[in-house]
Amino acid sequence: MACAAYAHAIIKNAGGRGFVYNSMKRSGWYENTVFYEIYVPSFCDGDGDGTGDLKGVISRIPYLRQLGISGIWLTPFYPSPRVDNGYDIRDYRNVDPAFGTLADFDMLLRKAHQAGIRVIIDMVLNHTSDLHPWFQESRRSAHSPYRDYYLWEKEIPCNWESFFDGSAWEYDDTAGMYYYHAFSRNQVCLNWSSPQVRRECADILRFWLDRGVDGFRLDVINFLKTDRGAFHADNPVENGVTRHVYDKNQKGIYEAIREISRVVHAYPGKYLLGEIGEDDLCLIKSYVGDGLLDSAFQFNLGSMEKLDAAFMADQMRRMEAEGVYPTLFFSSHDMRRHFNRLCGKDRTKAELLAVFLLTAKGIPFLYQGEEIPMEDVPVESLRDLKDIQGRYGYDKKLAEGESEEAAFLYARERSRDYSRGMVEWEREGDRDSLARAYRKLLDIRKRHLSLSMGEYGEIRQQDGLLYYQRIWEKEKIGVYLCFDGHSPELPHTDVLYEVMDGNGRTRGIMRYEQEIG
Ligand code: BGC
């Protein structure tokens, strides 16, 4: 029985159907913000130990300000054994010494705010590290007040698999029982039926809100285990692949998210972004709105497998038809970098995608270093395989009797190490760097509200050329993007931005089309 690897599953499931709604009402500052994802372990090394840290982030705030982004998403920086690079939290109210101190965090927040940059932080409420004191207490005794914080069973109750690979049930010698983990066995799922767990999580959110964060990115939030009864249903297995049906979107999930939303929105102006691992449009939509999430990630465009103007136009139209205000991104720490995946390392294509990201309708999330542009780091040997999802796959294949080579090839496909290499800041000033293009585009976006606030006018595509209009009050801007290498005749009047390829041919134009009325 096989289980699709986690990121892979999201990407595949997206298959052109994943939309994310931001409710029809558009009123929050975040809808006008361009976010930049900072994967803390590999963004910038501030103390010379070779890995990223908060001092490194602080040192780059002037750069980010100059780039023109207005929000940061900080991935987990909390104390953690870092089995899953911080998505396994041991202490929710502190900073991992490898990344700095709480004082560094406060300084980061202050400096970012002074630079006009808002900060949202990743919050992992679905699971804790197995080294979290709650879990250590929970396993020790059936009478522990913490026993009920996690999901213990005497026998394995169902066939559920981890999103990383292998069974989701792990036997614990100390407890003499099995516990449930949706990801690695070191990321133990919390029991969201427990009022005490909910209170603890609310307090954690308040801790960071009181420090002044501008919101949260809630990790895998529709995976919360809110219904113990669900354990009695096996997930369907089709062609050897488990479909995750009963282990997410459980009964009680909306009430749990409402509770979180009440806590967060009791602080005015805070942003609640949720990662919804889903491909069903209506389901995703159902998590967003008043009293729920402010927005959620969509994977339909971000995870497309090749640059395809027809596909993009189709997605844009469908989002329009459904009244979607999406999040836009093409790279993240969970997927391969789009410079490799979609652009085949073609700088012109990367620039065209930057234009799209910053002119299409939605909330852009740039991934650290895409503006340089950073490339995927190769995973060529077992030594390079650091990601837990890859390592899990390797162990699983060996246990199934596969050769080391076959196990490595399987694991390499699943590994998320590719996009997690240290950002090569020394390349920022290179002739080929895209940073100047991003800066200019961000500047144009700031000066032309139609690019952030505007509705779509026409959306068209033909022979690899994508064309769309953004309209706001009296302003109409047209964007032409030619992804497939040919250079059609494009109008060259009132040009706001032009993308030229290495042969001096125009491949993209953003132009001021007309004043209405
Ligand atoms: C994060 C992954 C992580 C997983 C489990 C995802 O949303 O983006 O990096 O492995 O959650 O916490």
Side-chain angles (χ1 to χ4, degrees):
M1 189 160 40
C3 163
Y6 173 57
H8 184 65
I10 288 185
I11 288 173
K12 255 189 96 197
N13 282 345
R17 290 199 289 129
F19 293 110
V20 172
Y21 283 70
N22 196 313
S23 84
M24 309 295 272
K25 177 176 69 85
R26 291 176 53 195
S27 52
W29 55 264
Y30 45 86
E31 285 159 342
N32 239 340
T33 297
V34 176
F35 285 92
Y36 187 97
E37 179 192 349
I38 292 183
Y39 191 65
V40 180
S42 61
F43 177 64
C44 183
D45 178 12
D47 62 8
D49 67 356
T51 58
D53 48 45
L54 298 187
K55 281 206 165 76
V57 178
I58 295 170
S59 74
R60 285 272 142 195
I61 286 177
Y63 166 83
L64 294 171
R65 179 168 178 226
Q66 235 199 358
L67 188 64
I69 57 98
S70 39
I72 292 172
W73 154 25
L74 271 189
T75 63
F77 49 81
Y78 318 97
S80 158
R82 281 183 282 143
V83 170
D84 186 15
N85 254 340
Y87 285 92
D88 47 324
I89 301 175
R90 200 183 53 208
D91 175 0
Y92 284 83
R93 291 182 173 80
N94 217 328
V95 173
D96 194 296
F99 298 139
T101 62
L102 270 178
D104 293 334
F105 180 83
D106 292 339
M107 167 81 85
L108 188 162
L109 213 51
R110 214 168 32 251
K111 294 269 184 203
H113 286 164
Q114 280 164 6
I117 295 173
R118 289 186 163 98
V119 181
I120 64 169
I121 59 175
D122 227 315
M123 185 47 74
V124 189
L125 301 177
N126 180 67
H127 46 266
T128 71
S129 159
D130 58 339
L131 296 187
H132 194 291
W134 297 342
F135 186 69
Q136 291 302 315
E137 283 301 316
S138 181
R139 73 206 296 215
R140 228 184 299 281
S141 150
H143 307 293
S144 159
Y146 295 95
R147 177 53 69 113
D148 199 33
Y149 275 37
Y150 298 89
L151 300 150
W152 294 101
E153 296 284 335
K154 283 205 176 68
E155 304 292 337
I156 294 179
C158 55
N159 71 345
W160 294 3
E161 293 209 332
S162 140
F163 286 85
F164 281 166
D165 249 337
S167 173
W169 297 96
E170 184 75 12
Y171 187 73
D172 181 71
D173 280 335
T174 311
M177 292 177 93
Y178 292 89
Y179 64 84
Y180 175 74
H181 59 92
F183 294 91
S184 85
R185 63 183 73 90
N186 307 102
Q187 294 165 290
V188 193
C189 281
L190 284 163
N191 171 17
W192 269 80
S193 311
S194 152
Q196 194 54 28
V197 164
R198 291 172 181 231
R199 271 196 294 275
E200 298 266 20
C201 290
D203 284 349
I204 290 165
L205 293 169
R206 287 191 200 98
F207 174 85
W208 292 102
L209 289 162
D210 289 338
R211 288 202 109 80
V213 300
D214 298 291
F216 300 98
R217 179 257 190 195
L218 299 176
D219 192 58
V220 291
I221 201 63
N222 64 318
F223 292 16
L224 296 185
K225 296 294 156 307
T226 47
D227 178 19
R228 291 209 72 142
F231 281 148
H232 300 293
D234 275 350
N235 275 328
V237 181
E238 285 159 17
N239 302 324
V241 177
T242 294
R243 276 186 50 223
H244 291 274
V245 173
Y246 299 109
D247 48 358
K248 45 186 190 163
N249 309 309
Q250 293 189 341
K251 199 168 88 192
I253 185 70
Y254 295 100
E255 199 34 53
I257 293 182
R258 272 185 210 290
E259 270 182 48
I260 294 173
S261 174
R262 271 198 294 276
V263 172
V264 172
H265 291 123
Y267 292 70
K270 301 298 170 181
Y271 178 39
L272 202 52
L273 165 71
E275 184 194 27
I276 304 290
E278 254 332 309
D279 65 346
D280 181 290
L281 177 58
C282 291
L283 196 51
I284 297 169
K285 182 179 179 180
S286 69
Y287 284 108
V288 178
D290 279 344
L292 293 163
L293 302 174
D294 294 311
S295 46
F297 274 108
Q298 57 132 335
F299 292 88
N300 61 325
L301 273 170
S303 61
M304 66 185 175
E305 275 158 20
K306 62 179 177 49
L307 262 182
D308 178 347
F311 175 80
M312 291 167 86
D314 179 55
Q315 294 299 322
M316 292 160 81
R317 285 195 203 101
R318 291 176 59 185
M319 288 190 266
E320 273 305 276
E322 301 288 349
V324 172
Y325 195 70
T327 50
L328 297 173
F329 61 92
F330 291 106
S331 292
S332 83
H333 67 285
D334 284 333
M335 51 173 51
R336 304 224 179 157
R337 285 187 175 274
H338 68 265
F339 188 56
N340 296 70
R341 197 180 85 246
L342 298 175
C343 305
K345 299 207 243 177
D346 177 337
R347 190 199 175 283
T348 309
K349 287 186 178 165
E351 189 171 346
L352 291 169
L353 271 187
V355 176
F356 180 86
L357 207 58
L358 295 169
T359 61
K361 199 194 261 190
I363 306 175
F365 279 78
L366 316 186
Y367 179 51
Q368 63 180 34
E370 72 176 58
E371 73 281 12
I372 287 184
M374 277 285 293
E375 293 181 23
D376 276 343
V377 292
V379 175
E380 272 155 8
S381 70
L382 205 51
R383 211 160 27 103
D384 300 331
L385 198 69
K386 307 225 163 47
D387 174 32
I388 181 68
Q389 179 169 262
R391 293 207 309 272
Y392 247 49
Y394 184 75
D395 293 346
K396 181 180 124 154
K397 287 293 162 189
L398 285 188
E400 287 172 6
E402 301 260 0
S403 69
E404 286 183 9
E405 195 189 341
F408 174 67
L409 292 178
Y410 174 85
R412 186 163 81 163
E413 267 311 292
R414 272 148 186 77
S415 164
R416 297 168 297 173
D417 290 309
Y418 293 87
S419 57
R420 297 178 176 182
M422 279 301 286
V423 176
E424 292 160 6
W425 292 111
E426 62 281 7
R427 289 183 36 207
E428 175 201 331
D430 283 3
R431 199 167 45 92
D432 288 341
S433 168
L434 278 173
R436 194 141 29 101
Y438 273 83
R439 264 196 293 276
K440 188 156 181 211
L441 286 163
L442 279 153
D443 183 53
I444 293 173
R445 185 182 162 96
K446 249 174 241 154
R447 286 186 289 110
H448 294 274
L449 281 186
S450 55
L451 297 176
S452 52
M453 309 287 288
E455 295 304 324
Y456 279 133
E458 276 182 64
I459 300 174
R460 271 192 276 136
Q461 68 78 32
Q462 201 180 353
D463 304 331
L465 176 71
L466 176 66
Y467 169 70
Y468 51 92
Q469 296 170 327
R470 301 289 311 270
I471 303 171
W472 172 252
E473 297 189 336
K474 289 188 165 185
E475 184 180 78
K476 188 197 276 182
I477 288 179
V479 181
Y480 299 76
L481 301 172
C482 181
F483 292 116
D484 78 349
H486 79 288
S487 336
E489 270 306 302
L490 299 178
H492 265 84
T493 48
D494 299 318
V495 171
L496 287 164
Y497 191 86
E498 179 171 7
V499 180
M500 304 238 272
D501 66 18
N503 300 319
R505 291 175 312 185
T506 300
R507 297 273 300 280
I509 290 270
M510 181 193 336
R511 63 187 285 266
Y512 198 64
E513 297 215 316
Q514 73 180 73
E515 281 211 351
I516 300 170

